């Protein structure tokens, strides 16, 4: 291949990179907007649900709250499964177009993404069960006033929020490390061309 063809290929590739990066950012932005809309919809539903409980007797209220939380959790799992399927389809498409990775590396990336999703689902289920059990324990504690129960639950959720954020940051760092590892492997496996 002469130098003009090499230069033409290099220029075409470098011009295409910002377009691909922009497309990835647009897809990421669309996913974020969709997630925010879903969250806003649930917040609206929760507000309406709380309003509907004002005249409900205490025993029935607790049962209704438990049923509502379980129902929303199942809806969340279904929504996350749908988002996961879309993201995996995009990942597979992106990996199919990637000529720098081997088939084994592509399969490893897919397997790790799937495993991370399955771990997230298992953790979410365990966290939901733990939250529901803790809420039941606090509700049934006769030594606490209604305000103390509310304060105890708020403190519990704030603690969980901090733990969840820390776990997210750890997963993010792990994914970044994995990407860097693949980049290093790519650089060490690239053939060295001699210049004349």
């Amino acid at each position: 291949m002469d130098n003009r063809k090499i230069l033409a290929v290099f220029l075409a590739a470098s011009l295409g990179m910002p377009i691909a990066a922009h497309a990835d950012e647009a897809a990421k932005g669309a996913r974020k907007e969709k997630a925010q809309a879903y969250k806003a919809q649930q917040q609206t539903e929760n507000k309406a649900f709380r309003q509907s409980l004002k005249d409900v007797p205490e025993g029935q209220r607790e049962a209704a709250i438990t049923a509502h939380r379980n129902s929303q959790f199942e809806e969340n799992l279904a929504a996350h499964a749908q988002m996961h399927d879309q993201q995996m389809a995009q990942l597979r498409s992106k990996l199919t177009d990637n000529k720098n990775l081997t088939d084994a590396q592509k399969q490893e990336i897919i397997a790790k993404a799937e495993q991370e999703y399955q771990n997230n689902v298992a953790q979410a289920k365990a966290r939901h069960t733990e939250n529901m059990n803790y809420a039941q324990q606090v509700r049934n504690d006769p030594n606490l006033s209604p305000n103390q129960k509310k304060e105890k639950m708020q403190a519990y959720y704030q603690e969980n929020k901090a733990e969840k954020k820390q776990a997210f940051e750890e997963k993010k760092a792990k994914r970044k490390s994995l990407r860097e590892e693949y980049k290093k492997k790519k650089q060490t496996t690239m053939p060295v061309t001699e210049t004349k």
Side-chain angles (χ1 to χ4, degrees):
M1 195 180 261
D2 71 352
N3 288 341
R4 287 180 296 188
K5 287 183 181 176
I6 293 171
L7 183 60
V9 169
F10 175 74
L11 285 174
S14 63
L15 290 174
M17 280 189 258
I19 295 169
H22 182 66
D24 284 346
E25 288 299 317
K28 186 177 178 179
R31 283 194 308 265
K32 189 173 183 177
E33 285 178 18
K34 188 175 180 180
Q36 288 173 339
Y38 180 78
K39 186 177 178 180
Q41 174 194 352
Q42 275 203 335
Q43 288 172 341
T44 302
E45 288 174 8
N46 287 341
K47 188 174 183 179
F49 176 73
R50 285 191 301 273
Q51 291 293 323
S52 73
L53 293 176
K54 290 207 181 225
D55 297 327
V56 176
E58 185 65 32
Q60 292 175 357
R61 182 180 317 155
E62 290 175 10
I65 289 171
T66 299
H68 178 72
R69 287 185 179 160
N70 287 332
S71 172
Q72 281 206 324
F73 179 72
E74 292 301 321
E75 287 175 16
N76 289 343
L77 286 180
H80 287 290
Q82 183 182 16
M83 286 189 291
H84 170 70
D85 291 343
Q86 291 170 351
Q87 288 174 336
M88 289 302 290
Q90 289 173 345
L91 176 62
R92 284 186 177 91
S93 173
K94 193 174 183 179
L95 289 174
T96 299
D97 295 341
N98 188 320
K99 305 301 181 206
N100 296 322
L101 297 174
T102 66
D103 287 341
Q105 289 172 325
K106 292 176 184 180
Q107 289 303 316
E108 183 181 355
I109 290 169
I110 290 170
K112 285 185 179 189
E114 189 62 44
Q115 183 62 45
E116 183 176 341
Y117 170 73
Q118 294 303 328
N119 289 343
N120 289 344
V121 169
Q123 289 172 0
K125 287 180 178 181
R127 201 168 41 247
H128 176 71
T129 300
E130 182 182 319
N131 291 345
M132 295 302 286
N133 289 341
Y134 185 79
Q136 184 69 34
Q137 177 188 352
V138 170
R139 273 195 308 267
N140 293 337
D141 189 342
N143 299 322
L144 297 175
S145 70
N147 282 340
Q148 289 173 320
K149 290 178 182 183
K150 184 177 181 178
E151 288 172 6
K152 194 167 184 175
M153 287 304 300
Q154 286 175 340
Y156 176 76
Y157 284 122
Q158 287 301 317
E159 181 182 323
N160 280 352
K161 187 176 180 180
E163 289 174 6
K164 190 176 176 182
K165 184 176 182 178
Q166 180 182 358
F168 175 78
E169 292 300 326
E170 288 171 3
K171 287 177 187 179
K172 187 176 174 181
K174 188 176 179 181
R175 285 191 300 268
K176 182 179 180 182
S177 172
L178 184 63
R179 281 193 303 273
E180 290 173 0
E181 179 184 325
Y182 279 117
K183 285 180 183 179
K184 286 179 185 177
K185 284 181 184 179
K186 177 184 155 190
Q187 290 173 351
T188 59
T189 60
M190 287 181 69
V192 177
T193 57
E194 294 181 21
T195 56
K196 293 185 180 181

